[in-house]
Amino acid sequence: GTMAEGCGQQGELALVGPAAGAPSCPHGPTLLFVKFSQGKEEGRRFYACSACRDRKDCNFFQWEDEKVSHTRLAAREEYNRSHQPSFTHRQNVERYKSFVQLPLSKRRFCQECQQLLLPAEWEKHSDHQFLCDISTAQLKSPSQLLYPLENKKTNAQYLFTDRSCQFLLNLLTDLGFRRVLSVGTPRLHELIQSKASQEEDFRVRSLLLDIDFRYSQFYTEDEFCHYNMFNHYFFGGEAARETCRKFLYEDNGEKVIMVTDPPFGGLVEALASSFKKLMAMWKETGKEGHDNKEMPMFWIFPYFFESRILDCFPSFNMMDYQVDYDNHALYKHGKTGRRQSPVRIFTNLTPRLIVLPVEEGYRFCAICQRYVSSGNQHCEICNSCTSKDGRQWKHCVLCKKCVKPSWFHCNSCNCCALQTHSCEQTDAGCFVCGKAGHKRSACPSLS
């Protein structure tokens, strides 16, 4: 599938995908894109960073047909090397062991370098802001200690609220899962880790795969892999890949689920391609009867990407549960007069097994055999609970489907839209919401 990126007037950008022999930037192998210019049939193909959509964060760019000199290749390798973290994961694990042995008064965390400091390093960071007396509790909740990298497009570290996190974990344990592959979900990983260390009978384990290397300061090599979910790249090479494989293979690959919460600006097709590779890794466990099964998965993403996710994973369904985030102004729980969160759980598990909390206003629809939000009324004509955003939607006979309550049928556009919409049909609708008049990057639903 292609991915249109808003490029203003220079034409459209589409993802071609991962390509064999693609050059690398500090974030691993680059992805191949194609740029269409106005009025030209053939687009020109180029490589760019898989993880950073913003040139300011990673300025890698190379035309596919470009000949790159040896000097430039050498310089690029040097650049990639120099842009790797200053400590290896193993060194960070050793540092942590020393850090935990220090008395409270000597436990410092440099806020500017986002790094645990050993006393010998204080001098070097003397003019930096730091936190003192780092408690064991703080070390056990690194997502609270580290500040979120709020560069929306690469890291978009919006962290689940405790309520959403607790709900997810309860759901996973009720479903009988024992191992969670946490891809870009540090809060969930943290909750699982802390419960495991506090409660005798708590049997769930988690492996965190995340692009944020800062977590390597707090977790061993069996608990964290530095991973880029846009190009399925393990920064720790074969050893890290092996850690992931071992984790999936345990108990013959039974009772394991992958939970992922990618940046919402992310390229759906690139993510899907990585997730399929993780699923394939699980399939190789060679267990009888895995052939036609998929590794269980929760993909947490806004509802307006539904059609694109289902294109990539036809076996998935979207649940009505609204996932909330702590540090995201828009995506917090409804009820407080604020917009409701558009973020949902997409899963290949049987919908009726996903029990949603009645006290938060979800109910079971016997006809659809799934839990829906209370405002989501079953439409007799569509024969399904059609609302996507928690409000009751209404059926349009002309469109032959249910639409948002605020929309009306426009005869000149021949579809339902807001009354205030402009009828000039632009050549193509937006890639995210399908509506006309704006490019994907300016989509109001991404806000």
Side-chain angles (χ1 to χ4, degrees):
T2 58
M3 163 85 173
E5 280 275 355
C7 286
Q9 292 315 299
Q10 309 107 24
E12 279 295 309
L13 207 55
L15 174 71
V16 181
S24 286
C25 70
H27 305 91
T30 54
L31 295 177
L32 189 56
F33 294 86
V34 59
K35 191 174 194 171
F36 297 102
S37 346
Q38 236 65 55
K40 284 212 184 84
E41 277 295 279
E42 273 296 282
R44 195 166 177 201
R45 288 147 68 114
F46 64 91
Y47 295 105
C49 178
S50 58
C52 309
R53 306 258 56 77
D54 201 325
R55 282 281 165 79
K56 286 199 293 291
D57 302 309
C58 178
N59 60 9
F60 188 98
F61 183 93
Q62 182 192 317
W63 292 111
E64 187 189 28
D65 49 20
E66 195 178 322
K67 286 276 173 278
V68 184
S69 71
H70 283 301
T71 329
R72 217 174 112 207
L73 281 176
R76 181 185 286 168
E77 270 185 32
E78 185 40 49
Y79 178 86
N80 290 351
R81 238 198 324 276
S82 65
H83 278 72
Q84 291 317 309
S86 45
F87 294 107
T88 65
H89 191 168
R90 182 148 303 158
Q91 287 171 319
N92 272 339
V93 173
E94 290 308 317
R95 292 168 58 80
Y96 183 83
K97 285 182 192 158
S98 315
F99 191 88
V100 186
Q101 253 130 50
L102 296 168
L104 253 192
S105 61
K106 295 211 162 154
R107 289 191 190 173
R108 290 186 182 179
F109 175 78
C110 177
Q111 287 183 291
E112 282 173 57
C113 305
Q114 291 285 288
Q115 190 185 310
L116 299 171
L117 297 182
L118 298 172
E121 299 157 340
W122 288 2
E123 191 52 42
K124 218 170 63 198
H125 297 257
S126 56
D127 52 349
H128 292 182
Q129 292 279 317
F130 50 82
L131 299 171
C132 298
D133 304 339
I134 303 296
S135 68
T136 309
Q138 281 174 295
L139 292 172
K140 296 265 175 255
S141 3
S143 74
Q144 252 90 338
L145 184 62
L146 301 165
Y147 48 68
L149 303 168
E150 290 193 12
N151 156 349
K152 276 205 211 27
K153 296 194 168 138
T154 317
N155 294 79
Q157 282 185 320
Y158 296 123
L159 303 165
F160 298 145
T161 51
D162 292 340
R163 192 183 62 91
S164 285
C165 214
Q166 212 51 72
F167 163 75
L168 280 168
L169 184 53
N170 295 342
L171 180 58
L172 298 173
T173 38
D174 291 347
L175 289 167
F177 291 106
R178 285 279 171 268
R179 293 195 315 295
V180 183
L181 185 64
S182 303
V183 183
T185 56
R187 275 263 162 105
L188 181 62
H189 175 71
E190 201 167 283
L191 181 62
I192 292 174
Q193 296 285 92
S194 74
K195 267 192 174 329
S197 66
Q198 285 159 15
E199 302 172 22
E200 276 296 82
D201 53 352
F202 186 76
R203 293 273 173 270
V204 185
R205 298 208 356 271
S206 167
L207 172 64
L208 176 64
L209 267 49
D210 202 291
I211 197 166
D212 185 355
F213 191 67
R214 297 178 302 172
Y215 285 108
S216 68
Q217 300 177 85
F218 305 91
Y219 298 122
T220 65
E221 290 163 291
D222 292 336
E223 298 168 325
F224 169 76
C225 297
H226 190 203
Y227 174 80
N228 177 347
M229 66 172 101
F230 290 106
N231 57 4
H232 186 58
Y233 181 68
F234 286 88
F235 292 82
E238 205 33 60
R241 185 180 291 271
E242 198 43 47
T243 299
C244 182
R245 196 177 284 125
K246 277 223 286 284
F247 185 79
L248 295 176
Y249 279 27
E250 246 167 83
D251 301 334
N252 290 325
E254 290 293 296
K255 298 193 172 150
V256 64
I257 184 168
M258 170 175 157
V259 181
T260 183
D261 179 39
F264 302 148
L267 303 155
V268 173
E269 291 73 14
L271 292 167
S273 145
S274 296
F275 299 160
K276 283 178 178 157
K277 286 174 183 155
L278 288 169
M279 288 168 130
M281 204 187 260
W282 170 81
K283 243 197 172 103
E284 290 159 18
T285 48
K287 194 175 158 303
E288 292 305 302
H290 268 186
D291 306 342
N292 47 6
K293 283 232 292 282
E294 273 183 353
M295 171 160 96
M297 178 164 144
F298 282 169
W299 179 341
I300 296 164
F301 225 51
Y303 72 78
F304 35 82
F305 283 100
E306 182 181 24
S307 62
R308 288 180 45 204
I309 290 180
L310 299 189
D311 278 347
C312 299
F313 290 108
S315 64
F316 280 31
N317 287 291
M318 182 175 87
M319 303 294 98
D320 268 21
Y321 185 78
Q322 297 193 6
V323 179
D324 298 328
Y325 294 83
D326 254 354
N327 51 337
H328 195 302
L330 290 170
Y331 296 178
K332 284 193 179 152
H333 196 48
K335 314 281 180 289
T336 50
R338 210 191 245 111
R339 290 203 330 193
Q340 299 193 340
S341 167
V343 185
R344 303 286 180 270
I345 299 170
F346 292 86
T347 183
N348 50 6
L349 299 178
T350 312
R352 68 181 156 75
L353 301 178
I354 313 292
V355 179
L356 303 186
V358 175
E359 64 282 6
E360 283 180 35
Y362 298 97
R363 59 180 181 83
F364 187 73
C365 173
I367 312 172
C368 293
Q369 284 289 296
R370 69 181 181 100
Y371 280 78
V372 295
S373 68
S374 48
N376 192 354
Q377 294 301 311
H378 191 88
C379 170
E380 307 277 315
I381 312 168
C382 297
N383 193 26
S384 76
C385 293
T386 48
S387 165
K388 307 280 183 203
D389 62 7
R391 298 178 296 172
Q392 188 176 339
W393 285 22
K394 56 181 187 185
H395 192 85
C396 171
V397 235
L398 297 170
C399 289
K400 297 191 172 57
K401 64 175 185 188
C402 285
V403 297
K404 292 184 177 179
S406 51
W407 287 14
F408 296 92
H409 196 84
C410 165
N411 290 325
S412 48
C413 292
N414 198 21
C415 67
C416 285
L418 281 169
Q419 264 182 320
T420 53
H421 78 287
S422 54
C423 292
E424 298 85 76
Q425 272 290 350
T426 43
D427 29 345
C430 160
F431 232 80
V432 174
C433 64
K435 294 205 272 293
H438 62 266
K439 287 277 198 286
R440 171 183 179 278
S441 56
C443 183
S445 52
L446 283 177
S447 55

